[in-house]
Amino acid sequence: MKVPMSWFNDYTDITGVTPHEYAHALTMTGSKVEGVEHLGKEIENVVTGKILEIKPHEDSDHLVICQVDVGGETLQIVTGAPNVKPGQIVPVAKHQSRLPGGVTIKKGKLRGVESNGMLCSHEELGLTAADLGYEPEYGILILPEDTEIGMDIRDVFGLNEEVVEFEITSNRPDCFSVIGLARETAVTFKKPFNVPKPQFHENGENISDTLSVEVQNPEKCLRYCAKMVKNVKIGPSPKWLSARLRACGIRSINNIVDITNYILLEYGQPMHAFDLRDLEGQKIVVRDAADGEVIKTLDEQDRTLTANDLVIADGKKAVAIAGVMGGFNSEVKDDTTTVVFESATFDGASVRLTAQRVGLRTEASSRYEKGLDPNNTVPAAERACELVELLGCGEVVGGIIDVKGNIQDPKPLAFRPEYINAFLGTDIPAADMSSYLEALEFEVDPEQQMVTAPSFRPDIQCEADVAEEVARIYGYENIPTTLIKGETTQGGRSPRQRARAQINSLLAAQGMHEICTYTFVSPAMFDKLYVPADSPLRQVVKITNPLGEDTSVMRTTTIGGMLEILAHNFNHRNEEAKLFEIGKNYVPTEPGKLPEEPEVLTLGMYGNVDFYDIKGALEALFQHLRVQDVRYAAVSDNPSFHPGRTAKITAGGAELGIVGEIHPNVCKNFEIGVPCYVAEISFDALYAHMGHEIKYKHLPKFPAVTRDIAVLVDKAVPVAALEDVMKKRAGKLLDTIQLFDVYEGDRIPADKKSVAYAISFRAADRSLTGEEVNAVMEKIVKNLESDLGAQLRQ
């Protein structure tokens, strides 16, 4: 944002402050100055002069000789301008003067006649018709008759001005105004700050008798104010106003439009002026647009709106896009006689979305989207009326229409000087902190230790923000420098992080590679996995603004992502792949709340492997993690897995996950031409059953006694059931049980299988005798027969 330094003197006194001092001081208090520009730096030694006499040049048909009074001396200047006449006030570039573009003017002779300078056109001074407020005639620039002779031309057009360019952060909407920056200036230089209350006269009429305002969406329109001016005289703005607008980078249009732009800069409050003739029914309705509604904006472009856009309408049509741009059908024209000034506050998010969608980002929308102060609307409207009276371009109608929506008052925050000093590492007296905050228009209650930010400071949300305000006014450069102390907390991993790292290392040691898959998936993924229509896995979190259909929902299972990576490797002719991933699934909860994010360990492999390879990888992992009582139970009802080669995994009765061969049809869906095996384990359950403490156990002092046993059982009997009976009947003497053979063939019945174990027994306090071991073996055999129908093979 650009602001001439002289404008700040309307609210505070910075007389004598150099541009360099100003830029440094404001930057140090948080209002970063990008640079300072002198508007008239390219113009030197150009003054106003009065033409006293004109004579023809003896050796030229188009040149004339002028005698020009430049204040204290008379210069002879030769010119070929066709529009010069005696008595005119004109710009005079004297000897050794400079003009824009690096042009230097020196005295010399034209056709033998001495010329001590040059008379200038507006173009040679770098001025436009907008700068002048009127379209100049061809030739020399003719100045008003009351212009003082001998004045520096920069003073005439407001070019002798230092303009400061600020870089305003988006969290400070109050500083997108001259008043806001003047407040920061006053606090920085410890000067009084005062914004005069607008003073103007109203006639005996009432605006409510002529105009009505209805706000149908108070969530998007927080406040709407309207003032009316009649007997309007449209014309050029005075030089002081157009000069200030020009210095800020805004072109002068006419007095009424310039007033709205002036308020935009001065108060940071966007305004719009409607021609009352164009408001059908003499009413204003702030409403949601209709889907497909079209409005022609001031840039004469048709904009198609949606129901998410907010418009300002009259009794029949939209006349402005709220917070973005006015409509072409209600703009101020040369014959406008009655104007309605709109000063409103709209929801910033709504304005931003509308501006972005229709492709319009204006000075108004850029301010609205940052969040404006609803309490600024009335003062801005009153200031517009004051300027109307000051410029003599209309009569202010009495009364104001002020419709308030859902306005939230600022909430008090804690004000603890001791906390602020500890937070900043300073020793600032509490009284000084209060004075800093009060200068910024905060309400401070030292007794209750509370502070309330002004309504124009929506960025103040917590106690740390209050501390920042104290710090920047106290001066960042005044905060003492301290060396780093050795009292910092030593960094380290949490227990979960250590467990995750341990799992990564254990699986990598088994020749597996870690992968990372996308958490955004396609809804079609569940169809490829044959997930039933009523499965909870299909209850997903949907992405509001997805990149595409393939990434439109959050995953509830990691199996699909693992299969995609296995398919990628298979289709790139990798003979085998062994992969793992620790990632998150996303389970929706109640509406409006964040989803749950359980962590999952996923293993996947294909190639020279089978079910027992992936099961062995898990068993080795469980053993290293000291997970106790791990069991596997056959699963046949999961459509994603092979019904005869899949198992549910439990530990201590709690479910850990699933492991098995992927169903051939699922492999076909993913274009995997070989059997592949996947395990999905709940990391949370796994972590809960880890043996985090390692307990020392003495080496055995006495030898073990081993017995082999082979039994015939039905094929449907799982080996885990056999082991459970053995463990139960062996008691404390059992050392290990090792399965070493499973046989099915011609030598045994077709519905049976032979299972062989090596069982070791050991006592901690003695060597076992054969009789003791034989007695235990007899119990085991009897219970295998009675519980499972097993027959001992001889």
Side-chain angles (χ1 to χ4, degrees), residues 145-448:
E145 296 179 357
D146 57 351
T147 304
E148 182 181 345
I149 298 174
M151 283 184 65
D152 190 324
I153 200 67
R154 294 176 297 186
D155 293 330
V156 174
F157 291 103
L159 297 176
N160 201 7
E161 179 74 83
E162 304 287 351
V163 176
V164 185
E165 183 175 1
F166 295 89
E167 180 185 335
I168 310 299
T169 54
S170 59
N171 67 320
R172 291 297 304 274
D174 59 303
C175 286
F176 281 89
S177 67
V178 177
I179 289 177
L181 291 171
R183 182 185 296 108
E184 294 291 316
T185 300
V187 176
T188 299
F189 290 98
K190 297 179 174 57
K191 298 284 188 178
F193 172 72
N194 178 51
V195 180
K197 181 176 175 57
Q199 302 292 329
F200 57 93
H201 298 89
E202 298 179 337
N203 65 17
E205 302 175 28
N206 193 304
I207 183 176
S208 299
D209 296 334
T210 306
L211 181 72
S212 65
V213 174
E214 178 188 358
V215 176
Q216 295 182 356
N217 192 333
E219 297 294 332
K220 290 184 178 180
C221 180
L222 305 182
R223 193 167 188 175
Y224 194 97
C225 300
K227 287 288 291 182
M228 185 181 294
V229 178
K230 62 187 298 187
N231 299 327
V232 171
K233 302 179 183 66
I234 302 296
S237 296
K239 287 182 181 179
W240 67 267
L241 194 151
S242 59
R244 282 188 170 178
L245 293 179
R246 180 179 64 247
C248 297
I250 295 181
R251 178 175 60 90
S252 176
I253 298 176
N254 60 52
N255 47 13
I256 296 298
V257 175
D258 288 354
I259 285 174
T260 62
N261 287 331
Y262 191 87
I263 301 301
L264 173 74
L265 296 171
E266 186 177 37
Y267 279 75
Q269 173 63 48
M271 293 188 66
H272 187 67
F274 295 107
D275 189 331
L276 183 63
R277 295 176 303 178
D278 298 322
L279 298 178
E280 294 192 44
Q282 294 187 328
K283 64 186 299 184
I284 290 176
V285 181
V286 185
R287 60 169 174 82
D288 295 327
D291 271 323
E293 186 171 1
V294 178
I295 179 175
K296 178 180 286 189
T297 48
L298 288 172
D299 58 356
E300 300 187 39
Q301 298 292 320
D302 288 336
R303 313 283 178 177
T304 302
L305 307 177
T306 70
N308 294 322
D309 302 322
L310 191 71
V311 297
I312 312 300
D314 58 18
K316 292 186 178 180
K317 63 185 182 302
V319 294
I321 304 177
V324 181
M325 184 177 281
F328 184 75
N329 54 15
S330 62
E331 68 171 344
V332 173
K333 296 169 276 292
D334 291 342
D335 61 346
T336 296
T337 58
T338 303
V339 164
V340 176
F341 283 124
E342 169 195 277
S343 179
T345 305
F346 303 109
D347 177 65
S350 172
V351 172
R352 177 174 176 80
L353 291 174
T354 296
Q356 187 177 37
R357 198 185 54 74
V358 301
L360 272 175
R361 193 167 190 271
T362 60
E363 287 287 340
S365 68
S366 67
R367 284 168 168 79
Y368 275 123
E369 67 188 27
K370 295 171 178 61
L372 296 185
D373 179 14
N375 295 324
N376 199 32
T377 54
V378 172
E382 291 176 342
R383 174 61 168 158
C385 295
E386 182 181 41
L387 290 174
V388 166
E389 188 172 283
L390 181 65
L391 271 56
C393 58
E395 176 186 346
V396 180
V397 176
I400 184 171
I401 296 177
D402 183 9
V403 181
K404 296 181 180 180
N406 297 327
I407 301 175
Q408 301 293 328
D409 294 328
K411 296 181 180 179
L413 301 171
F415 173 59
R416 298 177 295 165
E418 65 280 2
Y419 163 81
I420 294 175
N421 277 323
F423 186 73
L424 299 177
T426 56
D427 190 20
I428 306 172
D432 289 354
M433 294 184 189
S434 296
S435 67
Y436 299 155
L437 295 173
E438 288 170 352
L440 292 168
E441 300 187 28
F442 285 64
E443 294 180 8
V444 182
D445 187 345
E447 294 183 1
Q448 298 295 325

Side-chain angles (χ1 to χ4, degrees), residues 501-513:
Q502 187 179 6
I503 292 171
N504 286 1
S505 298
L506 291 171
L507 294 176
Q510 297 186 57
M512 306 186 75
H513 295 85

Side-chain angles (χ1 to χ4, degrees), residues 709-714 717 721-726 729 752 755 776-794:
I709 182 174
V711 294
L712 286 177
V713 295
D714 293 340
V717 176
L722 296 172
E723 293 178 3
D724 287 342
V725 172
M726 295 178 190
R729 292 305 171 190
K752 301 288 185 179
V755 184
V776 174
M777 287 297 297
E778 288 179 6
K779 291 182 180 180
I780 291 175
V781 172
K782 288 181 180 180
N783 279 273
L784 288 175
E785 291 176 351
S786 62
D787 295 351
L788 301 175
Q791 300 176 13
L792 184 65
R793 291 188 66 188
Q794 301 297 330

